[in-house]
Amino acid sequence: MPRELTERQALLALNALPGIGPIALNRLLEGFDGDARAALAADRRKLESILGPAAAVVREREAHFDPVKEEGKMERSGVVFLGRGDPGYPRLLVEIGDPPVGLYRKGPYTFGNPCVAIVGSRRATLYGQSVAKRLAADLARLGFCVVSGLARGIDTAAHEGALSVGGTTAAVLGTGIDIIYPPENLDLYRRISERGAVVSEFPFGRQADKDSFAMRSRVMSGMCEAVVVVESDMYGGAMATARFAGEQGRLLFAVPGRIDQSTSSGCNQLIRDGATLLTKAEDLLQEIQYLGGLRPAPVSPPPGG
Amino acid sequence: MPRELTERQALLALNALPGIGPIALNRLLEGFDGDARAALAADRRKLESILGPAAAVVREREAHFDPVKEEGKMERSGVVFLGRGDPGYPRLLVEIGDPPVGLYRKGPYTFGNPCVAIVGSRRATLYGQSVAKRLAADLARLGFCVVSGLARGIDTAAHEGALSVGGTTAAVLGTGIDIIYPPENLDLYRRISERGAVVSEFPFGRQADKDSFAMRSRVMSGMCEAVVVVESDMYGGAMATARFAGEQGRLLFAVPGRIDQSTSSGCNQLIRDGATLLTKAEDLLQEIQYLGGLRPAPVSPPPGG
């Protein structure tokens, strides 16, 4: 029998199970009426009936992960872990097919505003970066939370743009929340976590891989009303985020670019495939208002901002 | 009574009536079962019942225009005048609401191929010009006749692109067919009229004005299966051609560009409003084939080309 865990600790342990993704995890929790402790303490037959051969990792989890140690790390770095029922868990994210069972968060922001993801290539042109920055600033001024992935290029420009007007921004990581990549974004990470939020579904220390980046993409689009791809070639994370946006029924916008620059080929493709061509923040506001009557309250910059 | 005119001379005279546009002219011809001579010879009451006060110009037409002299000019410059029923009058053009009652043509081309208009701004960037040239070359290679307006910038690049691969191109003028503007395009005019066609609905000597450019736009889109706007700001003739394309039910394509360059603002606007984003000739071919099963026969370059 595992030792006595709090419900939060049990959820942390479940969330950290290696090789078990959100789909299986949601199925497992459903099998125990959402009771994480009961899921962890279940006998092998019951676990196997839900997870099949993967059930073994639940029984072996104590070798891999100590939720008490994890809580210690969280406390030392000012990180909280939000279950799906907790206030501060992004409202829209619950609606996707396979939401994370919980999210680590560093920063005071509780996702009260409608969110818009601004994403694009790491290898961005000056054009893409300047568009991302201006667009993020304008959307933040309108009261949106600007969501991106803290990566180089477009992501960085988007976060910076939102911060530049005292707006709200959130970074969704494809790694553990304690891993700051790229290293030159350490200061940006700090500023986001002071005013906004850095979030991750992964346990501390989790390194990035292809899976984790795809999982991050689905969380970014899932928590947002709309996704804007500012600059992207035909491949990469931003295109994945755009695909998730489509599957999740989110509004999808793309910024066009020259047809002789491969850096815009993904965006142009998205527009041809039905994404709305975006040239300014008002394009997005208009469409969101049209669909939902939604209008965020514009932010005023903070006293020192 | 006017002196005895041939049917062709009567049509030339009708077409040259000052201040009477194609809508009124078509109504007038219909009133006489398409008989231009009968229309010219009609009495004042009958003319006024169709044209209202504008009827006066029909009675006064001999002071303004001598169709015999016009025929002399045509002959000296190798120009023919095609009525709507004549072979060589562009097939699709007959279908628009107010087709020209006739077209002057210089050049051997008889509009047997499907036509695509490639249009854009006079003040084009190098980007726009290179896209127009490449696209025109590719469409010409596929067997389309590339239609444009002989203007500076995108038009010139489009004609040149088609000629560069030995393809067919037609220039539609907003002036009399004897007026070559801009002057630096004299050589281009000659090369087009050697292999393709220069056409105009206006009598010899007619100078350009806003009306004549708008009329030219409607003819360009009217004779084409599709219109491609390669580079345009929010105003100007290319946008007018795009509007006509919409009204006439033609396929409308636009090439996207950077959102921070006003030279692409018109194209981006057209795409947002429903024009298909185009990045290469195959995009257009695909859509045309999808709609109509139409596929032009690819041209092989002429022996000397």
Side-chain angles (χ1 to χ4, degrees):
Chain A
M1 277 288 293
R3 68 164 180 258
E4 203 58 45
L5 297 177
T6 66
E7 182 67 19
R8 175 61 31 95
Q9 288 166 344
L11 203 59
L12 282 168
L14 278 179
N15 186 63
L17 289 173
I20 299 207
I23 294 174
L25 217 50
N26 281 308
R27 211 165 53 219
L28 179 62
L29 269 176
E30 273 165 31
F32 296 89
D33 293 328
D35 183 337
R37 277 183 295 193
L40 278 184
D43 66 23
R44 190 171 134 186
R45 267 227 333 256
K46 171 85 177 171
L47 288 173
E48 280 180 350
S49 74
I50 299 175
L51 295 176
V57 299
V58 182
R59 310 292 302 169
E60 294 154 11
R61 58 121 197 132
E62 284 179 274
H64 301 292
F65 183 83
D66 180 348
V68 176
K69 276 194 189 161
E70 185 84 347
E71 281 187 329
K73 292 178 196 165
M74 287 165 56
E75 199 167 330
R76 282 191 297 279
S77 47
V79 167
V80 295
F81 185 76
L82 305 163
R84 280 204 303 255
D86 295 332
Y89 189 98
R91 182 183 52 81
L92 279 179
L93 189 55
V94 181
E95 297 172 8
I96 69 172
D98 49 356
V101 299
L103 278 182
Y104 292 81
R105 186 188 82 210
K106 183 172 166 66
Y109 180 58
T110 54
F111 294 93
N113 313 41
C115 296
V116 172
I118 298 183
V119 296
S121 296
R122 285 172 172 75
R123 294 196 196 186
T125 65
L126 287 176
Y127 165 63
Q129 291 175 63
S130 102
V131 167
K133 190 165 180 187
R134 201 193 62 213
L135 181 63
D138 291 345
L139 287 172
R141 245 190 244 108
L142 288 166
F144 290 97
C145 169
V146 173
V147 170
S148 197
L150 201 75
R152 288 197 178 95
I154 299 300
D155 287 16
T156 295
H159 292 302
E160 292 285 6
L163 291 171
S164 73
V165 297
T168 308
T169 185
V172 183
L173 306 191
T175 62
I177 200 164
D178 57 327
I179 295 179
I180 299 169
Y181 186 86
E184 69 265 31
N185 274 354
L186 173 61
D187 179 61
L188 178 60
Y189 178 103
R190 284 195 183 129
R191 285 180 288 136
I192 296 172
S193 57
E194 271 163 23
R195 276 223 296 259
V198 176
V199 299
S200 166
E201 66 187 295
F202 302 108
F204 275 64
R206 164 77 182 253
Q207 299 289 332
D209 59 34
K210 287 223 155 184
D211 277 353
S212 74
F213 280 133
M215 289 168 75
R216 182 260 299 273
S217 288
R218 105 192 182 287
V219 169
M220 271 207 284
S221 55
M223 64 200 280
C224 291
E225 309 278 345
V227 169
V228 183
V229 185
V230 167
E231 188 180 53
S232 175
D233 62 15
M234 302 291 272
Y235 311 98
M239 295 299 275
T241 308
R243 273 193 301 277
F244 282 119
E247 291 171 16
Q248 295 163 347
R250 303 297 181 249
L251 294 173
L252 179 61
F253 298 83
V255 174
R258 292 171 57 137
I259 64 171
D260 60 353
Q261 299 235 328
S262 64
T263 45
S264 285
S265 57
C267 282
N268 289 337
Q269 177 72 46
L270 290 172
I271 293 167
R272 187 166 35 208
D273 291 348
T276 303
L277 185 150
L278 182 137
T279 59
K280 54 190 183 307
E282 287 71 24
D283 297 347
L284 187 149
L285 189 63
Q286 215 168 29
E287 191 142 337
I288 283 191
Q289 286 181 307
Y290 176 74
L291 286 177
L294 174 70
R295 171 144 206 163
V299 287
S300 39
Chain B
M1 278 290 291
R3 67 167 181 258
E4 202 58 46
L5 298 177
T6 67
E7 182 66 18
R8 175 60 31 97
Q9 289 166 342
L11 202 57
L12 282 169
L14 278 179
N15 187 61
L17 288 173
I20 298 208
I23 294 174
L25 216 51
N26 280 308
R27 212 166 52 221
L28 179 63
L29 269 175
E30 273 166 32
F32 295 91
D33 292 328
D35 183 338
R37 277 183 294 196
L40 279 184
D43 64 24
R44 188 172 135 185
R45 263 226 334 254
K46 171 84 176 171
L47 288 174
E48 280 179 351
S49 75
I50 299 175
L51 295 176
V57 300
V58 182
R59 311 291 303 168
E60 294 155 11
R61 58 125 196 127
E62 284 180 274
H64 301 292
F65 183 82
D66 181 347
V68 177
K69 276 195 189 160
E70 186 83 345
E71 281 186 327
K73 291 177 194 165
M74 286 164 56
E75 200 167 328
R76 281 190 298 279
S77 45
V79 168
V80 294
F81 185 77
L82 305 164
R84 280 204 302 256
D86 294 333
Y89 189 99
R91 180 183 54 83
L92 279 181
L93 190 55
V94 181
E95 297 172 8
I96 69 171
D98 49 355
V101 299
L103 278 182
Y104 293 82
R105 187 189 80 210
K106 183 171 167 68
Y109 180 58
T110 54
F111 294 93
N113 312 42
C115 297
V116 172
I118 297 183
V119 296
S121 296
R122 288 171 170 74
R123 295 195 195 187
T125 65
L126 287 176
Y127 165 61
Q129 290 174 66
S130 102
V131 168
K133 189 165 181 186
R134 200 193 63 212
L135 181 64
D138 291 345
L139 288 171
R141 245 190 243 108
L142 288 166
F144 290 97
C145 169
V146 172
V147 171
S148 198
L150 201 73
R152 290 198 176 95
I154 299 300
D155 287 16
T156 295
H159 292 301
E160 291 285 6
L163 291 170
S164 73
V165 295
T168 308
T169 186
V172 184
L173 307 190
T175 62
I177 200 164
D178 57 326
I179 295 179
I180 299 169
Y181 186 86
E184 69 265 29
N185 274 355
L186 172 60
D187 178 61
L188 178 59
Y189 178 105
R190 283 194 184 130
R191 284 180 288 136
I192 295 171
S193 57
E194 270 162 25
R195 275 223 296 260
V198 176
V199 299
S200 166
E201 65 187 296
F202 302 107
F204 275 65
R206 164 77 181 252
Q207 299 289 333
D209 58 35
K210 288 224 152 183
D211 277 353
S212 74
F213 279 133
M215 290 167 74
R216 182 263 298 271
S217 287
R218 104 192 183 288
V219 169
M220 271 206 285
S221 55
M223 65 201 280
C224 289
E225 309 277 345
V227 169
V228 183
V229 185
V230 168
E231 188 180 52
S232 175
D233 63 14
M234 301 293 272
Y235 310 98
M239 294 299 275
T241 308
R243 273 193 300 278
F244 282 119
E247 292 170 17
Q248 294 162 352
R250 302 298 182 248
L251 293 174
L252 179 61
F253 297 83
V255 174
R258 292 170 57 137
I259 64 170
D260 59 353
Q261 299 234 329
S262 63
T263 45
S264 284
S265 57
C267 282
N268 289 338
Q269 177 72 48
L270 290 171
I271 293 166
R272 188 165 35 206
D273 292 348
T276 303
L277 186 149
L278 182 137
T279 59
K280 54 190 182 308
E282 287 71 25
D283 297 347
L284 187 148
L285 189 64
Q286 216 169 28
E287 191 143 338
I288 283 189
Q289 285 180 307
Y290 176 75
L291 286 176
L294 172 70
R295 169 142 208 164
V299 288
S300 38

